Amino acid sequence: SMLISAEETGRWKIVAVAVGSILVQASLRELIPGLTGAIISVFATVIFVGAALVTWCEIERRTALRILGAYFGFSIVLGVCSAVAGAAGA
């Protein structure tokens, strides 16, 4: 809903950023296991998404910051919960 004004940039770019963020986060989680890896992967993914939205998708910074705030909140909760669940299962 925050990207309604991004139609002129092409939705395929936003989909590519989403796929890229999944690959970045999964790669870092694989390289750095545990809670530390979860936190590092979330921060790296937020930086990646922010840079891609502003530079490649040409979304204005204010809108990109709102998107990143929501993305960071969800990612940190899901990342930490999955790391804790993975540690408890091991």
Side-chain angles (χ1 to χ4, degrees):
S1 66
M2 293 183 205
L3 293 175
I4 292 172
S5 64
E7 292 180 21
E8 66 270 1
T9 63
R11 294 193 187 268
W12 68 270
K13 287 183 179 181
I14 296 168
V15 171
V17 170
V19 171
S21 71
I22 292 168
L23 295 174
V24 168
Q25 193 163 25
S27 299
L28 287 173
R29 286 292 308 267
E30 189 68 27
L31 290 173
I32 309 168
L35 186 58
T36 304
I39 293 171
I40 290 172
S41 69
V42 167
F43 279 106
T45 305
V46 167
I47 291 168
F48 169 78
V49 170
L53 288 177
V54 172
T55 58
W56 193 46
C57 296
E58 299 171 352
I59 295 173
E60 57 184 66
R61 287 180 186 261
R62 187 173 186 164
T63 304
L65 285 175
R66 288 194 328 226
I67 294 166
L68 288 176
Y71 182 78
F72 176 76
F74 288 121
S75 293
I76 198 75
V77 168
L78 291 175
V80 169
C81 287
S82 69
V84 170

